Amino acid sequence: MNPLDPIADVYRLENPEQALALLNPMRAEILQLLAEPASASELGRQMNEKAQKLNYHLKSLEKVGLIRRCGSRQVKNLIEVLYRAVARSYVIPDSFGWSEDLTQRMKDQGALRQLVNVSERIRTDALRLMEVSDEEGEVPSAVLETDLHLPDERTRERFLADYADAVRTVVRKYQAQGSAEGGFKAILAVYPQLEQGGGKR
């Protein structure tokens, strides 16, 4: 795989082992980050995890065919292997023989676990940035929060497609190219609104 070649928007899973890998929160996050080529050490810095731990998950994801090696580079005296995900999103085929309810629950649980992981990472990063702000003054940041009307599956799919197109346009213009200077992180989370008692609206 050439690191400059675009990856697929959607990958149809070929076996249940791939689907089970997606349910692991850390592996789901790795796949999200590997929309662009990265090494275990790069992922470690982004996820605040040890490269050795990430190497284990990378090998497991490579074994089931969800990521591929796309090159290598020398960093000081070490050769780092670069990995990239095969796609940006994944579809569980009906041929697995799983019920529609089970398939949907797997998708929902995987997405919610990812939401919890990302929320925790945002919280950790925000606390660190507050410490930096106390020492160095203002730290530039921005928050966008709005309500969406997505009443059915078809509308949600259209929204995600439109959002993905818009993000790709912006990312191509502003995407970080390996330099830490001027680097920012952008994350969007979409989930149902909750009543005060905890139920969905």
Side-chain angles (χ1 to χ4, degrees):
M1 176 185 289
N2 188 321
L4 299 179
D5 290 340
I7 63 175
D9 285 331
V10 178
Y11 174 80
R12 185 180 175 86
L13 300 183
E14 298 176 350
N15 55 67
E17 287 74 19
Q18 291 178 327
L20 292 174
L22 289 175
L23 287 180
N24 182 293
M26 180 169 286
R27 292 177 187 176
E29 184 174 5
I30 289 172
L31 285 171
Q32 181 185 39
L33 294 172
L34 286 181
E36 298 299 329
S39 65
S41 60
E42 283 180 306
L43 292 172
R45 288 191 291 272
Q46 294 181 71
M47 300 173 65
N48 297 318
E49 296 284 355
K50 293 182 179 179
Q52 182 179 4
K53 180 178 182 179
L54 291 173
N55 266 319
Y56 168 77
H57 290 288
L58 287 168
K59 289 179 180 178
S60 297
L61 289 169
E62 184 183 21
K63 184 177 180 180
V64 298
L66 292 179
I67 65 172
R68 298 172 184 162
R69 300 186 185 205
C70 62
S72 63
R73 64 180 170 212
Q74 185 165 351
V75 179
K76 297 182 179 180
N77 296 325
L78 299 175
I79 301 295
E80 289 188 345
V81 177
L82 299 176
Y83 296 90
R84 196 175 189 189
V86 298
R88 299 181 188 278
S89 60
Y90 304 86
V91 173
I92 300 175
D94 295 335
S95 60
F96 285 3
W98 295 344
S99 68
E100 182 178 344
D101 179 62
L102 176 58
T103 299
Q104 188 59 48
R105 277 192 291 147
M106 289 182 67
K107 292 178 181 178
D108 291 344
Q109 289 173 5
L112 289 174
R113 288 174 186 173
Q114 178 66 10
L115 178 61
V116 170
N117 289 341
V118 170
S119 299
E120 182 59 31
R121 194 169 79 207
I122 291 174
R123 178 180 178 277
T124 300
D125 289 345
L127 290 173
R128 291 178 177 174
L129 287 171
M130 289 176 69
E131 293 176 0
V132 172
S133 178
D134 290 340
E135 298 174 1
E136 302 179 8
E138 182 181 357
V139 174
S141 61
V143 175
L144 172 63
E145 184 175 343
T146 187
D147 293 335
L148 303 171
H149 182 60
L150 308 174
D152 52 52
E153 184 68 24
R154 185 176 180 183
T155 305
R156 290 191 287 272
E157 288 178 356
R158 285 202 304 265
F159 164 76
L160 290 174
D162 290 343
Y163 171 73
D165 288 341
V167 167
R168 279 194 289 271
T169 299
V170 174
V171 165
R172 279 194 292 267
K173 186 175 181 180
Y174 296 101
Q175 187 171 24
Q177 299 297 327
S179 173
E181 184 177 355
F184 279 70
K185 184 175 293 296
I187 297 173
L188 174 77
V190 180
Y191 52 90
Q193 292 181 335
L194 298 176
E195 302 281 6
Q196 288 188 347
K200 289 197 300 183
R201 288 185 183 177

